[in-house]
């Protein structure tokens, strides 16, 4: 039997710059609008929430943004992450495809999220900030910010989507191990949380609501800023170390992907693995099919309209143009909590609208089938979010088998499933169901989209 | 602030041989005895339980035993594991000591255990075995054998100590993800399990009982062998890749340990990190203090006599000379389940008796204090077992501070704590107690030691 092949990059070749896709786009993304004036917002509008260095990255059109040395020093604790050729999975599928995956699960927090958490903590510390607030779904983001916060001596408060807070008490304990304070959202600690609980005391929460709470707390205090784990362009930017490393590692393998697959919640994992390849293509390099995989129970890219919408439920954020299911949409409580966001990163939405990427949606049991096959062949138990990418990669590999073509498929194994064992227990017990979103709720959420007159 | 320094070994320098300490000992270890005849046993006596290749390793006096290429191919999935200098921990302690740790938590099973699990699965597969039985305490060993078994197409049945089975349902689900069958021990599936349940239906189990059950099942079936996660010399042998790599990595750091610290349950983790350094010393190299750390609630090395005893509770194993608390001793249900063994590896016991190593015992809350400090400085959440080694290393570093000397301290971070979050939840809630063993039970267990007339 063939074993996995590991491609390790020398530390000296770890990226020195984050890659900014905006520099290579044929058309700039639509502006972010102020919800009151509907005029494009400027850096100052974002200053209550973010340090200026991150705001500048958010609006930058430079292709390369230097990674500060203190951030690279911390990255080196686990980066460059290994790239593997999944030969045991290939053999189990009987496919002529060459399947490669980047393993981001080896970070201390167990996912790709520290790539941006460390960067954000660094810039906030530099700006004199004492405390960060944030939201988290499955807890991967919250624990990553807790990890980064403790390294820089920042207090971290995490609003965790209530359904995940109860499904994943161990992820919460992990955050506490790193000294963060974790609160179930909606909570009594904010006006937006209290308003929602007044209407529905058993509300399961959503990323949109948790964002509202975290933003509200940050906006009220000078020493406190807000930190977002996905969606925003600077977050996507920080994740591009993943795709850049993968490109160098595939060079070592003398290969190049025909297809890049990423799972998409807010979009940062997807952008991290895909944007460097998309950028190379836009600069005249080899053409690559790029496939975004999302949960069928929260099908933002495949069912939502491309429209201006709020990033949060209480409408405290600016308006961004994105694929959205409506900011009040609450997806059912499926297990890939990190993919339960009503919207999609504006930059990912923009390239979808430009026809540069594909999107597809899968139900969760099929994704767990794929994840367990991956565990039993490649030996690593994936997070439910990562199972979506694995399912996408497997389907591409089976297509190659049908067509009798040997293509190279790349995906990001973005996190391990050690904190998601209740989901696997349900899966093995046959209790995992393919939850559907509520059609009436979606219709109502979409009818509430803000009306924006575009210039 | 200084960041951790990572020392990565090139794959080409991954050990090609396991190191066998027996070759360098001033005096051979006492023989293993047949419980009936009290005569030294031969390889054939062990043949019902183990494939001949492993039995030969068990009794080998060769210094180097070649690692088969298929085993090295699988090792390469995560080996060589990184060595870190724990600079953030050093700064937090204000110590002049240089603290290094090997990170074995990055293996797919999250601990050092796959180093031997893969080797054992390989030799069993080669010998035509279809099924492996084993015991597990915390579940690190059981999940590692499940991982190795699925890679070689072997069925794996794990008898898991009942108290851990209930404390750690997620570890059990991990084993099931890799296709293993996990049973709470004592169980109704074996005569030895039924005998214990008849006396005490709520028996919390022990490693000794779980070993009895696994051995019983293996002995009854031709296609089934038994696999042990620690204690035996061939298991210790397989773990020496850890210490050998650490030695090469410390060369890269231009350093050499003054003190090597390892936590000890059955002894294989301790032997893996320490024996290569002990062997170098015995061959005339630099002298190193070697410190074994064990739980105060199961103080085999620090309180047990050095005597012939059974490896299991039902007395199905041969007699081995070791530090032991008596084969019927059941330690309290503290959280480092991997350290709850009544005995100690004969080879570790032998070097302790020869005065070549030190031993000390700690209570669990002090170990969790150390583990949380490690998590908040080095960023990695350790398993409760590993917390014992961290506590030992911290105490050595504080001694260096007191004495004003800069020594190099090496330990093995042998596993992550992702499946031990209930213990951390109890710790943060102030519910973790320093459990004491039952003195009367210890006395009774010791009074039951077999009487052996040594020649």
């Amino acid at each position: 039997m063939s074993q996995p092949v590991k491609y390790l990059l020398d530390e000296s070749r770890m990226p020195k710059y984050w890659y900014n896709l905006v520099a290579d786009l044929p058309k700039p993304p639509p502006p972010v609008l102020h919800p009151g004036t509907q005029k494009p917002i400027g850096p100052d509008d974002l200053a209550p929430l973010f340090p200026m260095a991150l705001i500048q990255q958010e609006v930058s059109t430079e292709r390369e943004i230097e990674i500060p040395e203190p951030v690279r020093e911390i990255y080196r604790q686990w980066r460059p992450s290994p790239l593997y050729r999944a030969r045991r999975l290939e053999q189990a599928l009987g496919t002529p495809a060459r399947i490669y995956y980047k393993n981001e699960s080896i970070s201390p927090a167990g996912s790709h999220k520290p790539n941006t958490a460390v960067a954000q903590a660094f810039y906030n510390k530099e700006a004199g900030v004492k405390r960060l607030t944030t939201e988290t779904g499955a807890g991967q983001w919250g624990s990553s910010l807790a990890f980064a916060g403790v390294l820089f001596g920042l207090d971290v408060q995490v609003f965790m989507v209530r359904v995940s807070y109860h499904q994943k008490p161990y992820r919460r304990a992990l955050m506490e191990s790193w000294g963060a304070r974790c609160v179930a959202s909606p909570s009594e600690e904010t006006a937006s949380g209290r308003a929602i609980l007044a209407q529905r005391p058993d509300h399961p929460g959503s990323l949109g609501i948790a964002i509202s709470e975290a933003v509200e707390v940050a906006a009220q205090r000078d020493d406190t800023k807000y930190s977002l784990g996905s969606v925003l362009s600077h977050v996507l930017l920080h994740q591009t170390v993943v795709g850049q490393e993968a490109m160098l590692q595939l060079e070592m393998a003398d290969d190049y992907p025909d297809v890049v697959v990423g799972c998409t919640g807010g979009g940062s994992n997807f952008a991290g693995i895909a944007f460097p390849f998309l950028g190379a293509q836009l600069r005249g390099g080899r053409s690559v099919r790029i496939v975004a995989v999302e949960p069928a129970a929260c099908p933002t890219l495949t069912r939502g309209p491309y429209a201006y919408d709020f990033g949060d439920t209480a409408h405290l954020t600016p308006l961004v143009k994105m694929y959205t299911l409506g900011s009040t949409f609450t997806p059912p409580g499926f297990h890939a909590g990190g993919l339960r966001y009503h919207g999609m990163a504006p930059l990912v939405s923009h390239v979808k609208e430009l026809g540069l990427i594909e999107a597809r949606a899968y139900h969760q049991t099929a994704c767990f089938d794929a994840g367990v096959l991956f565990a039993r062949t490649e030996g690593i138990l994936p997070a439910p979010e990562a199972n979506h990418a694995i399912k996408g990669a497997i389907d591409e590999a089976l297509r190659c088998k049908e067509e009798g073509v040997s293509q190279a498929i790349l995906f990001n194994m973005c996190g391990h499933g050690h904190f998601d064992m209740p989901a696997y227990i349900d899966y093995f017990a046959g209790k995992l169901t393919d939850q559907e979103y509520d059609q009436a709720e979606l219709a109502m959420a979409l009818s509430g989209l803000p009306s924006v007159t575009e210039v």
Side-chain angles (χ1 to χ4, degrees), chain A residues 245-303:
Chain A
E245 285 180 6
M247 197 176 282
L248 294 171
Q249 288 163 311
L250 283 167
E251 252 175 42
M252 294 168 67
D254 201 18
D255 214 337
Y256 199 85
D258 297 286
V259 189
V260 176
V261 179
C263 61
T264 46
S268 75
N269 163 63
F270 171 78
I273 188 80
F275 279 7
F277 291 94
L278 179 54
Q281 173 185 321
L282 291 170
R283 293 193 304 277
R286 260 185 68 172
S287 162
V288 186
R289 277 182 55 223
I290 295 176
V291 181
V293 179
E294 62 183 10
C298 189
T300 317
L301 280 171
T302 51
R303 297 286 180 91

Side-chain angles (χ1 to χ4, degrees), chain A residues 29 112 114-115 122 138 195 200 202 211 254 279 287 298 349-350 368 381 409 434:
Chain A
H112 64 296
N115 295 328
F122 167 78
R200 187 178 162 189
D202 66 340
I211 292 172
D254 201 18
S287 162
C298 189
S349 298
H350 182 58
F368 274 81
L381 190 78
I409 300 162
D434 284 339

Side-chain angles (χ1 to χ4, degrees), chain A residues 155-240:
Chain A
D155 286 340
V156 173
Q157 181 176 8
V158 181
F159 290 91
M160 186 170 187
V161 175
R162 186 174 295 275
V163 62
S164 294
Y165 185 92
H166 292 300
Q167 272 177 354
K168 305 191 174 182
Y170 295 179
R171 183 65 83 168
R172 177 167 32 110
L174 180 63
M175 294 183 228
E176 288 165 357
S177 298
W178 281 317
R181 194 163 78 82
C182 189
V183 179
S185 166
S187 80
E188 295 286 348
E189 300 202 7
T190 66
S192 36
R194 287 189 294 271
I196 286 161
L197 289 175
Q199 284 192 317
R200 187 178 162 189
D202 66 340
H203 198 293
S206 71
L207 278 171
I209 294 168
I211 292 172
S212 294
E213 294 202 272
V215 164
E216 184 182 323
V217 172
Q220 281 163 359
R221 291 175 54 153
D222 273 352
D223 64 351
T224 302
K225 298 278 183 198
Y226 167 66
S227 185
L228 190 65
S230 190
V231 180
L232 293 178
S233 297
H234 70 269
V235 182
L236 277 56
L237 178 80
H238 300 154
Q239 292 296 349
T240 58

Side-chain angles (χ1 to χ4, degrees), chain A residues 62-80:
Chain A
E62 295 293 312
R63 180 174 290 124
E64 293 185 328
I65 293 173
E66 191 171 0
I67 308 177
E69 190 48 35
V71 172
R72 295 183 81 237
E73 273 184 14
I74 295 178
Y75 277 0
R76 274 190 211 107
Q77 191 174 345
W78 69 94
R79 307 210 68 84

